[in-house]
Amino acid sequence: MPSAAAAAVPFTSVRQPAVTMGALAAELLLEETEAQGAPTAHEHRRVVLQPELVVRGSSLPAR
């Protein structure tokens, strides 16, 4: 979230791996469309990506 750092009090936010998410979405879509001819050979898969916590001025320091 580029605007989070520019706020008067910079907001803590969660950074998502957007490029990786897009590439995986395209890959999954291609797998899905290619499997239309052979549905028994296709298995759905679940992908979990690791987000990154970006701590800025809106959070209290650790105690």
Side-chain angles (χ1 to χ4, degrees):
M1 181 183 284
S3 60
V9 175
F11 296 113
T12 294
S13 60
V14 176
R15 183 177 293 141
Q16 299 289 342
V19 173
T20 303
M21 288 171 64
L24 282 169
E27 183 180 322
L28 292 169
L29 179 61
L30 287 173
E31 287 177 10
E32 192 70 29
T33 57
E34 290 170 356
Q36 294 300 318
T40 56
H42 175 69
E43 290 186 27
H44 291 276
R45 62 183 171 117
R46 182 177 182 195
V47 178
V48 179
L49 301 174
Q50 186 67 41
E52 176 187 356
L53 181 63
V54 181
V55 179
R56 297 191 179 100
S58 64
S59 297
L60 294 174
R63 294 181 196 193

